[in-house]
Amino acid sequence: MSTILEVKNLTKKFDDNEVLKDVSFELKKGETLAVIGSSGSGKSTLLRCLNHLSPPDSGQILLEGVNINTPETDINSVRADMGFVFQDFNLFTHLTILENVMFGPLRVRRWSKDKARQIATAEIKTVGMLDKIDSYPAQLSGGQQQRISIARALALKPKLILFDEPTSALDPELTGEVLSVMTDLAHSGMTAIVVTHEMGFARSVADKVIFIDQGLIVEQGPSKTLFSSPQHERTKLFLKNFSGLE
Ligand SMILES: Nc1ncnc2c1ncn2[C@@H]1O[C@H](COP(=O)(O)OP(=O)(O)OP(=O)(O)O)[C@@H](O)[C@H]1O
Ligand SMILES: [Mg+2]
């Protein structure tokens, strides 16, 4: 499998607060990487640095071998190549589901209306929402809105998708349908980085896991190994606290 993303020595500060410290990892095509860690450990900042929603201070981000952390980089094309699924969906409330999903293909990729409609419809079908194609976001449940925001990311035909706690704003009974779409995507060969508190998903669906604490990657490795035999005390403590909550 070829390497799709290589992150080398990424750092980010907000004033004096060093939020990411020398973060390095790589991801192969088709892999799902779960990022776990306590609140405030830097997980969202890491995703936001990758697609330049929040530019890193230093380090390299190699997307298919090309460093995208340079002033010459076309940010819009990077954002299209790395789909982003937010915790709170971020759909346009005044647009229908079809219009929401066609927006990126039309405005960012600049594809024709016919092509954009065809791709958007196919991705809405992928997430099982064809019957709501002409509805507005407010007419959908949170779980349905999140599935549409996944379709919106997919419609850009990204190289990878970044998920920032996609189920944490949902009522517990709605998380299953979103996790199930994400599991199908992982099995279909999509490359993804998923920040999550869903340890079951991280353990059973992700290929690799990164445990981040205070901006440092404490431990990373295959998910089976990291969950069954964590090497560092901080990882053990984090996982122990989690198993107590579940
Ligand atoms: N725009 C910002 N300006 C200043 N500080 C920020 C900003 N965004 C994040 N931080 C700080 O960076 C640190 C990491 O925040 P981040 O949101 O990445 O954590 P997180 O791991 O995603 O936490 P959570 O699990 O609660 O979502 C925190 O100390 C936070 O206060
Ligand atoms: Mg976060």
Side-chain angles (χ1 to χ4, degrees), residues 81-145:
D81 284 343
M82 293 197 205
F84 206 107
V85 176
F86 298 86
Q87 187 173 350
D88 50 4
F89 335 132
N90 273 356
L91 296 174
F92 294 118
T93 52
H94 61 292
L95 298 182
T96 66
I97 296 316
L98 180 63
E99 289 164 347
N100 263 283
V101 181
M102 282 176 67
F103 189 89
L106 285 174
R107 301 294 170 86
V108 182
R109 291 295 194 196
R110 303 204 170 278
W111 291 331
S112 71
K113 212 165 180 183
D114 278 351
K115 181 175 177 180
R117 181 182 292 108
Q118 189 197 337
I119 289 173
T121 307
E123 299 305 352
I124 292 169
K125 186 166 181 231
T126 301
V127 301
M129 293 289 300
L130 262 189
D131 56 330
K132 300 286 186 191
I133 202 159
D134 295 318
S135 302
Y136 285 86
Q139 297 170 300
L140 269 51
S141 71
Q144 291 173 329
Q145 289 189 55

Side-chain angles (χ1 to χ4, degrees), residues 240-246:
K240 190 167 148 243
N241 286 341
F242 245 101
S243 61
L245 291 175
E246 277 181 340

Side-chain angles (χ1 to χ4, degrees), residues 5 7 16 25 32 37 58 67-68 86 89 99 106 114 119 151 160 170 184-185 193 200-201 206 213 219 242:
L5 181 73
V7 175
D16 288 342
F25 65 92
T32 298
S58 64
N67 185 15
I68 55 168
F86 298 86
F89 335 132
E99 289 164 347
L106 285 174
D114 278 351
I119 289 173
L160 71 158
L170 299 175
D184 289 348
L185 277 184
I193 303 181
F201 178 87
D213 190 30
E219 189 161 348
F242 245 101

Side-chain angles (χ1 to χ4, degrees), residues 4-210:
I4 195 159
L5 181 73
E6 204 175 343
V7 175
K8 293 184 182 171
N9 313 107
L10 203 67
T11 65
K12 175 73 182 175
K13 269 188 191 171
F14 291 109
D15 301 320
D16 288 342
N17 186 7
E18 251 191 311
V19 175
L20 294 177
K21 300 166 188 160
D22 213 15
V23 166
S24 301
F25 65 92
E26 66 172 62
L27 191 61
K28 295 200 182 325
K29 200 167 171 16
E31 281 183 330
T32 298
L33 167 70
V35 180
I36 60 173
S38 322
S39 182
S41 57
K43 306 179 299 297
S44 296
T45 304
L46 172 60
L47 291 193
R48 295 168 64 82
C49 280
L50 293 181
N51 84 342
H52 284 254
L53 279 171
S54 181
D57 294 329
S58 64
Q60 292 191 327
I61 303 167
L62 302 165
L63 183 61
E64 293 184 325
V66 178
N67 185 15
I68 55 168
N69 189 22
T70 73
E72 295 78 44
T73 301
D74 173 1
I75 303 294
N76 285 330
S77 100
V78 168
R79 292 199 185 138
D81 284 343
M82 293 197 205
F84 206 107
V85 176
F86 298 86
Q87 187 173 350
D88 50 4
F89 335 132
N90 273 356
L91 296 174
F92 294 118
T93 52
H94 61 292
L95 298 182
T96 66
I97 296 316
L98 180 63
E99 289 164 347
N100 263 283
V101 181
M102 282 176 67
F103 189 89
L106 285 174
R107 301 294 170 86
V108 182
R109 291 295 194 196
R110 303 204 170 278
W111 291 331
S112 71
K113 212 165 180 183
D114 278 351
K115 181 175 177 180
R117 181 182 292 108
Q118 189 197 337
I119 289 173
T121 307
E123 299 305 352
I124 292 169
K125 186 166 181 231
T126 301
V127 301
M129 293 289 300
L130 262 189
D131 56 330
K132 300 286 186 191
I133 202 159
D134 295 318
S135 302
Y136 285 86
Q139 297 170 300
L140 269 51
S141 71
Q144 291 173 329
Q145 289 189 55
Q146 192 56 301
R147 281 151 64 194
I148 294 303
S149 89
I150 295 172
R152 179 179 57 177
L154 287 170
L156 286 161
K157 299 291 172 197
K159 291 177 177 154
L160 71 158
I161 299 194
L162 311 175
F163 291 89
D164 192 0
E165 300 198 38
T167 58
S168 60
L170 299 175
D171 292 337
E173 68 271 23
L174 299 179
T175 61
E177 63 186 81
V178 173
L179 291 176
S180 148
V181 167
M182 292 169 64
T183 303
D184 289 348
L185 277 184
H187 292 155
S188 76
M190 187 72 217
T191 313
I193 303 181
V194 186
V195 169
T196 188
H197 285 120
E198 295 285 340
M199 292 303 141
F201 178 87
R203 185 177 194 142
S204 62
V205 180
D207 302 288
K208 287 182 185 167
V209 179
I210 283 177

Side-chain angles (χ1 to χ4, degrees), residues 217-231:
I217 294 184
V218 174
E219 189 161 348
Q220 60 176 312
S223 55
K224 305 277 175 304
T225 319
L226 191 133
F227 280 102
S228 61
S229 45
Q231 298 298 304

